[in-house]
Amino acid sequence: MAVKTLADLLAEGTEGVAGRAVLVRSDLNVPLDDQGKISDPGRIIASVPTLKALAEAGAKVVVTAHLGRPKGGPDPKFSLAPVAEALGEKLGRHVQLAGDVVGTDALARAEGLTDGDVLLLENIRFDARETSKDDAERLALAKALAALVEGADGTPGAFVSDGFGVVHRKQASVYDVATLLPHYAGTLVDAEVKVLEQLTSSTERPYAVVLGGSKVSDKLAVIENLATKADSLIIGGGMCFTFLAAQGVSVGTSLLQEEMIDTCKKLLEDYGDVIHLPVDIVVADRFAEDAEAETVASDRIPDGKMGLDIGPESVKRFTALLSNAKTVFWNGPMGVFEFPAFAAGTKGVAEAIIGATEKGAFSVVGGGDSAAAVRQLGLGEDGFSHISTGGGASLEYLEGKTLPGIEVLES
């Protein structure tokens, strides 16, 4: 990636950082429980190195981020207030929260920052211009963001892109602001892209890909792209049932994308020697934590039952495939890991990947639910070479797509 990085900005010394206002786009989109408390702080923790380095170097740090999907206006349940508190704890310093995005409170707080201060703007998606398809609307918001880090003498601030989970989006705080300010890749974005480059350009074989999650349509492009590169492509999660249906198997009431059955048939015809499906399934009569679990052969799913996890024989076979892998990419759980009765498949495959890593494999967990599963199931994050913070961005990169938030940093 031919872009300037945070290290370059810090190397510019006093002229580059100390006393200068720096706008940072972080990914702080953490999950909240029913009480509005953060259930997985992974993305906050991942954002700390860049913010800490800037604050300690004397920058006036203005952070912008989103939480959830508010409908183009302020919504208290999507406020970044709990994030500001958690971020402050992780940084070991107070983090102010502006009461708006680029309004009077944000401007007043930005003007009052002293060296080393950190200000978090309220949820950027409270401003509908952030995600607008209208270039002029996005640019207007980007200009307002840039104004928050303008020096008293009119000199521009700097922009550090550190929200890898959003770099596949052409949004005001990700793309447009980089066209207005001197721009740098933060620690997280720089590391993520280097890992993905390794997965696509200098992949050591055997190369195993493990894909889960609910929908084939969400992963179709990455399946098509990686099936030509991987030695084995393991499919679990809800998406496996559409593949099983494509083999003529009855899947009961399991999650099924009927419109994708023919596509899956074609994939199995073209890459049947690479694609591996579960041979047994853990089923239940309803989607519930206390539902009674039963393991059946994957071609013997009873009518009225739904598959909620892969079975132990599938874990055994997938473990054998992963045992000699030199490179592993995993995106998507094997089942409903949030329910203990249906978590064994995800845990078993994750442990197989850890085993391969211990033997020297380069392993990447592709963000999203997979990263959450690692933490929720009590698996050490150090058991993997890299845990990504951006599931969608990782997938689009591996599909061969251009990521707008990365492309703009190269200009």
Side-chain angles (χ1 to χ4, degrees):
M1 182 173 65
V3 305
K4 286 188 174 181
T5 66
L6 177 66
D8 295 315
L9 176 59
L10 295 173
E12 291 171 16
T14 305
E15 185 182 326
V17 180
R20 185 180 186 185
V22 179
L23 179 71
V24 182
R25 186 20 162 133
S26 296
D27 181 6
L28 304 175
N29 187 28
V30 291
L32 303 178
D33 63 20
D34 295 338
Q35 283 74 48
K37 296 190 183 308
I38 296 166
S39 57
D40 181 2
R43 285 175 171 163
I44 293 175
I45 294 167
S47 73
V48 165
T50 288
L51 299 178
K52 195 177 185 75
L54 286 168
E56 289 181 350
K60 301 169 184 176
V61 186
V62 179
V63 185
T64 182
H66 77 282
L67 180 67
R69 296 183 178 180
K71 296 188 171 12
D75 184 338
K77 73 179 181 184
F78 293 116
S79 170
L80 285 172
V83 173
E85 184 179 346
L87 182 60
E89 290 174 1
K90 302 296 182 189
L91 278 174
R93 65 180 66 217
H94 176 64
V95 173
Q96 296 184 54
L97 176 67
D100 48 31
V101 180
V102 288
T104 53
D105 191 52
L107 192 58
R109 288 176 182 269
E111 287 177 349
L113 292 176
T114 58
D115 296 2
D117 283 352
V118 180
L119 167 66
L120 176 61
L121 305 177
E122 187 51 284
N123 193 333
I124 186 72
R125 290 188 182 173
F126 283 179
D127 192 315
R129 296 174 295 177
E130 164 72 354
T131 57
S132 175
K133 301 298 181 191
D134 186 310
D135 291 352
E137 287 183 358
R138 286 198 323 275
L139 185 60
L141 175 56
K143 286 179 177 177
L145 288 168
L148 294 176
V149 292
E150 185 176 296
D153 59 356
T155 56
F159 172 62
V160 175
S161 176
D162 205 41
F164 182 73
V166 288
V167 293
H168 57 317
R169 306 295 188 197
K170 192 173 185 180
Q171 296 176 348
S173 68
V174 178
Y175 177 87
D176 299 271
V177 76
T179 67
L180 303 173
L181 296 172
H183 45 264
Y184 305 82
T187 306
L188 182 60
V189 164
D190 185 39
E192 294 271 15
V193 173
K194 283 176 179 170
V195 164
L196 291 172
E197 285 175 346
Q198 188 170 340
L199 280 180
T200 52
S201 60
S202 56
T203 309
E204 193 176 351
R205 308 186 83 101
Y207 180 16
V209 175
V210 182
L211 296 177
S214 57
K215 294 182 178 179
V216 177
S217 53
D218 291 344
K219 308 272 171 76
L220 177 60
V222 80
I223 291 171
E224 291 175 331
N225 198 27
L226 294 184
T228 62
K229 298 179 173 69
D231 298 288
S232 56
L233 203 161
I234 293 165
I235 292 178
M239 61 191 289
C240 77
F241 299 109
T242 304
F243 278 93
L244 291 171
Q247 292 182 323
V249 170
S250 172
V251 297
T253 58
S254 304
L255 189 64
L256 177 65
Q257 282 188 286
E258 291 190 20
E259 74 280 7
M260 297 297 295
I261 289 176
D262 286 343
T263 301
C264 289
K265 277 183 184 173
K266 183 73 167 60
L267 288 168
L268 289 169
E269 287 170 7
D270 293 346
Y271 308 110
D273 57 332
V274 174
I275 294 174
H276 299 272
L277 300 175
V279 292
D280 59 346
I281 299 291
V282 181
V283 300
D285 58 2
R286 58 199 172 92
F287 185 89
E289 187 169 358
D290 61 351
E292 189 174 340
E294 175 190 0
T295 301
V296 299
S298 59
D299 59 354
R300 293 284 185 273
I301 299 175
D303 292 342
K305 298 269 189 177
M306 62 176 65
L308 297 178
D309 194 13
I310 63 172
E313 188 60 34
S314 300
V315 171
K316 194 183 298 182
R317 294 191 182 205
F318 293 167
T319 297
L321 288 168
L322 292 164
S323 64
N324 69 337
K326 294 296 184 186
T327 305
V328 183
F329 173 70
W330 170 33
N331 182 282
M334 297 292 99
V336 187
F337 71 90
E338 298 89 345
F339 298 163
F342 307 103
T346 301
K347 188 172 186 181
V349 168
E351 288 172 340
I353 297 171
I354 291 172
T357 309
E358 289 172 346
K359 292 195 290 185
F362 177 69
S363 60
V364 177
V365 181
D369 288 340
S370 309
V374 168
R375 290 185 276 269
Q376 186 171 317
L377 296 174
L379 302 167
E381 293 187 39
D382 56 359
F384 306 89
S385 305
H386 180 77
I387 296 183
S388 176
T389 57
S394 297
L395 288 176
E396 290 200 15
Y397 189 99
L398 294 175
E399 287 168 19
K401 289 183 178 177
T402 297
L403 307 183
I406 299 299
E407 184 182 35
V408 72
L409 296 178
E410 297 171 343
S411 59

